[in-house]
Amino acid sequence: MKEVILVKYGEMALKGQNKYSFEDMLFRSIKHRLHNIGKFQYSSAQSTIYIETLEDNIDLDEAVEILKKVFGIASICRACICEKNFADIQEKSLVYLKEQLEDVASFKVEAKRADKKFAMKSPEICRELGSAICEAFPELTVDVHEPELTVIVEIRDSHAYVHAGKIKGAGGLPLGTSGKAMLLLSGGIDSPVAGYMMAKRGVIISAIHFVSPPYTSDRARLKVEQLCDKMTDYCGDIKFYCVPFTEIQEQLKRRCPEEFFTILMRRIMMIIAQEIAKKENSLALITGESVGQVASQTIQAMVCTDAVCHMPVFRPMIGMDKTEIIEIARKIDTFDISIQPYEDCCTVFTPKHPKIRPQLEIIEQAQQAGDFAEMIAKAIENTELKLFKMHC
């Protein structure tokens, strides 16, 4: 019995004249993700991509798991392909859904008749197929309000399709439709979630991380690289920039008031990140900050940080609380890595009493006194680049 994967997208259908460029990006992304598990035939119609196997040994369960992490997909269905006549629909439905129907106590049938020329109307399809299912599986009851299983029949232009519900996709927009941005990736819970959320809006992510040996360990860097590798499941290939930051932090300790240390460190990180971002044509920075969690995340502190930036700074979690962030981190499987007890450079020389509401003019004076220009240039020059490839 021939099966197909129906991939449906949501907001892409509302893109007007730009719709086709979004579809093209989604096609590319799907083909790239699936190319290692076998050969498929692809087609599209009515805001749906049809994926049919060209080989007998392809694991469709594996294909569905891969597709669940592709941005731009609203839902996924494994469906049986039927001829556009009710006899074939009924016969194949009873066979294709046999195991699922035997595993529940109640069901209902829904019909979607995109082809209005089909002889039977939707209520008639539901009534007749429901009757056939009840006859074949007499232990089942019909429950139109809260069924355990919903049998869906879709009558489309070339064929009819039968399936038992849809699987939620990753949503969002296809990668590459919204440009490129640089993620400041720490070893914490927040920044991987920020990268995921911007990738969901079609942004291609690169990542930058700051290390301060011997104050930070190799295990701390390895932890961040593991996060970067894990993020590729959703975000695709990621360029990872590792910046030596020890000299700058030691200079901060020597030359700047301790209470300004955190905000000055963040400003210098932003300066370095945007310079590297420019070299790779990234148009924005991304951070994992939300308002008020720590001293560097007050509105006043963010004003001081953003004052050094000449490109947008995206903070997709700005209004979220920690519980919401952790929920997403668990979903994308970065949480357990993030809580490993290896500290990053943001914890080095942490002031006992950081300035919570800094004034921009005073912060700028403190940074000038530190004389960081040559050190910043040196850090950029000595930055290491590593590429993390998507798992497919």
Side-chain angles (χ1 to χ4, degrees):
M1 191 175 297
K2 188 71 172 176
E3 271 192 291
V4 64
I5 298 176
L6 306 178
V7 170
K8 303 183 181 184
Y9 45 85
E11 65 178 289
M12 282 171 50
L14 306 176
K15 294 300 179 182
Q17 294 182 349
N18 293 326
K19 174 183 173 181
Y20 299 106
S21 63
F22 283 81
E23 287 180 336
D24 183 58
M25 285 287 191
L26 182 56
F27 256 101
R28 291 187 201 176
S29 186
I30 290 172
K31 289 178 181 179
H32 182 60
R33 297 284 184 112
L34 294 181
H35 82 277
N36 275 346
I37 68 169
K39 294 181 180 179
F40 296 88
Q41 176 178 298
Y42 302 88
S43 60
S44 66
Q46 299 170 313
S47 298
T48 301
I49 295 173
Y50 301 79
I51 305 174
E52 297 183 50
T53 61
L54 296 177
E55 299 171 327
D56 294 334
N57 61 342
I58 292 177
D59 186 343
L60 286 185
D61 288 331
E62 182 183 0
V64 168
E65 287 302 311
I66 291 171
L67 291 171
K68 283 163 64 176
K69 297 179 179 179
V70 177
F71 291 125
I73 296 176
S75 65
I76 307 156
C77 306
R78 280 183 63 172
C80 170
I81 304 175
C82 307
E83 297 301 321
K84 285 173 62 175
N85 65 75
F86 184 75
D88 194 58
I89 293 170
Q90 176 178 309
E91 178 183 352
K92 290 180 176 176
S93 296
L94 296 177
V95 176
Y96 182 66
L97 301 175
K98 181 176 184 293
E99 290 186 7
Q100 291 163 284
L101 289 166
E102 289 177 339
D103 199 39
V104 298
S106 63
F107 80 101
K108 75 172 181 178
V109 178
E110 289 184 0
K112 300 177 180 180
R113 196 169 59 106
D115 180 5
K116 303 303 181 184
K117 297 178 182 178
F118 189 72
M120 300 170 67
K121 294 184 178 181
S122 296
E124 188 179 357
I125 296 170
C126 295
R127 182 176 62 251
E128 294 299 323
L129 183 56
S131 177
I133 291 172
C134 286
E135 184 177 344
F137 302 90
E139 69 282 2
L140 285 177
T141 59
V142 176
D143 185 342
V144 296
H145 300 295
E146 295 183 353
E148 291 184 43
L149 185 74
T150 300
V151 176
I152 299 175
V153 181
E154 299 190 34
I155 310 296
R156 292 180 172 253
D157 289 341
S158 58
H159 292 87
Y161 303 91
V162 175
H163 57 89
K166 58 189 178 183
I167 301 164
K168 187 176 181 180
L173 299 173
L175 284 174
T177 56
S178 301
K180 299 169 64 176
M182 178 72 72
L183 169 68
L184 279 76
L185 182 63
S186 70
I189 297 169
D190 302 342
S191 54
V193 174
Y196 160 82
M197 292 180 70
M198 292 308 302
K200 186 175 181 178
R201 301 311 304 161
V203 176
I204 295 175
I205 301 297
S206 296
I208 187 167
H209 178 67
F210 297 83
V211 294
S212 296
Y215 306 108
T216 58
S217 66
D218 291 339
R219 296 296 296 272
R221 174 173 174 172
L222 177 61
K223 169 186 171 181
V224 177
E225 291 186 355
Q226 289 174 339
L227 285 172
C228 204
D229 185 60
K230 178 63 68 174
M231 289 172 63
T232 63
D233 289 345
Y234 286 96
C235 302
D237 298 348
I238 297 177
K239 291 181 180 179
F240 174 75
Y241 295 89
C242 190
V243 182
F245 208 58
T246 307
E247 187 178 18
I248 290 171
Q249 288 195 294
E250 289 177 337
Q251 180 77 338
L252 280 167
K253 185 179 180 182
R254 287 192 299 265
R255 301 287 294 273
C256 300
E258 182 183 359
E259 62 181 350
F260 298 152
F261 182 87
T262 300
I263 191 65
L264 288 170
M265 178 188 67
R266 296 287 295 175
R267 282 167 60 91
I268 295 171
M269 286 179 172
M270 290 294 210
I271 292 170
I272 293 172
Q274 70 180 342
E275 289 305 311
I276 294 174
K278 290 175 185 176
K279 292 180 179 180
E280 64 147 43
N281 297 318
S282 285
L283 301 176
L285 302 179
I286 304 167
T287 78
E289 294 160 321
S290 59
V291 171
Q293 285 190 344
V294 294
S296 64
Q297 296 180 2
T298 63
I299 293 177
Q300 294 89 340
M302 291 183 194
V303 168
C304 291
T305 300
D306 288 1
V308 299
C309 297
H310 306 295
M311 58 176 59
V313 180
F314 296 140
R315 296 180 171 93
M317 288 130 55
I318 195 71
M320 298 174 65
D321 62 34
K322 204 66 176 182
T323 302
E324 295 171 304
I325 296 168
I326 289 173
E327 183 179 348
I328 298 174
R330 291 188 185 279
K331 171 187 171 182
I332 65 176
D333 202 22
T334 58
F335 180 77
D336 289 339
I337 301 173
S338 293
I339 62 174
Q340 292 176 11
Y342 306 114
E343 297 181 332
D344 59 33
C345 71
C346 292
T347 60
V348 177
F349 309 136
T350 302
K352 292 181 180 180
H353 303 289
K355 192 72 172 178
I356 295 176
R357 296 178 179 84
Q359 297 180 23
L360 179 57
E361 183 179 350
I362 296 174
I363 292 296
E364 289 176 337
Q365 292 173 356
Q367 185 172 327
Q368 291 173 1
D371 193 19
F372 294 103
E374 289 186 11
M375 293 181 183
I376 288 171
K378 183 179 177 182
I380 294 171
E381 182 180 353
N382 292 323
T383 294
E384 298 177 25
L385 171 61
K386 186 173 182 177
L387 178 63
F388 287 90
K389 300 285 288 183
M390 177 175 54
H391 306 136
C392 63

